[in-house]
Amino acid sequence: MGKGDAETAARRLRLLQAEFLEPTRGEPGLRTGTRTSPPAPLHLGILDHMKASVEEVIAHTRQQAPNASPIPAEAGDVYDWCVQQTPHLDGERQAIRDALIFRQSLEHAIAMGDIKAVRKLPCPGCGCYGLLWRAGAALCPYDRCTDSRGMANRWSLAQLAHHHVAFKKMLKTHAT
């Protein structure tokens, strides 16, 4: 995995923390009922997402490197910390780590409303670009890329991340 995937995940997590923790205010001019209590001072769903993401990376790192150095204070630094603590892993376990980081990067983008992050990835089934994000899955827009029932192939973020990491590894091994 290039350092770029970890940097992207960290940048997206920091952006979530800086910009998307504020509670939604609703559209201007939208009539709503009178509140009986003030709203939460921050968006709890985003906070829960961030906490779960950081905890998953920490748990994965501690499982692979029980003697890892202390956890960084800044949430966005856990990705670099994870990579730095696990250089000894074999290729397969590094690929699992890299897929976890890339999947979380996609999750952060989607949590911010950036579904275009999925469109930039090739379809694992046919290789075409332009995946569509619908109902928690990426759908292939190519009409010939279908499952056994004739429905568009659906890909989870974990499947996309696994394919992305495997494709990058293949490119690296076949480079001159």
Side-chain angles (χ1 to χ4, degrees):
M1 175 180 99
K3 189 170 170 76
D5 288 341
E7 288 174 355
T8 301
R11 186 177 66 248
R12 287 177 175 164
L13 185 64
R14 287 186 185 107
L15 185 59
L16 271 174
Q17 184 175 14
E19 301 293 331
F20 290 86
L21 276 178
E22 293 183 17
T24 55
R25 305 253 190 264
E27 296 180 31
L30 182 67
R31 297 185 63 153
T32 59
T34 305
R35 291 185 184 265
T36 57
S37 60
L42 46 92
H43 195 288
L44 298 177
I46 296 292
L47 185 63
D48 289 343
H49 165 78
M50 290 175 54
K51 184 176 186 271
S53 297
V54 170
E55 287 175 355
E56 182 182 14
V57 172
I58 291 170
H60 177 79
T61 305
R62 292 281 187 215
Q63 182 183 16
Q64 301 300 321
N67 297 326
S69 66
I71 301 162
E74 179 66 35
D77 293 337
V78 297
Y79 298 107
D80 281 335
W81 172 77
C82 176
V83 172
Q84 291 169 0
Q85 300 305 311
T86 56
H88 64 283
L89 298 178
D90 60 37
E92 184 178 331
R93 292 190 305 165
Q94 281 187 5
I96 292 169
R97 175 203 63 201
D98 296 347
L100 173 116
I101 292 171
F102 190 74
R103 175 185 49 83
Q104 284 196 3
S105 179
L106 291 173
E107 289 172 352
H108 301 335
I110 289 169
M112 291 184 282
D114 181 14
I115 58 174
K116 290 181 182 176
V118 173
R119 293 184 66 85
K120 297 174 185 175
L121 300 172
C123 172
C126 68
C128 75
Y129 287 84
L131 294 172
L132 306 172
W133 184 251
R134 301 282 190 272
L139 300 176
C140 183
Y142 186 47
D143 61 352
R144 293 188 181 154
C145 186
T146 59
D147 62 14
S148 60
R149 299 173 297 157
M151 304 295 289
N153 274 325
R154 299 173 60 88
W155 308 100
S156 68
L157 293 180
Q159 290 170 314
L160 292 176
H162 174 74
H163 184 261
H164 173 78
V165 169
F167 184 71
K168 284 180 76 170
K169 182 179 179 182
M170 185 271 305
L171 287 178
K172 191 175 187 180
T173 58
H174 289 82
T176 57

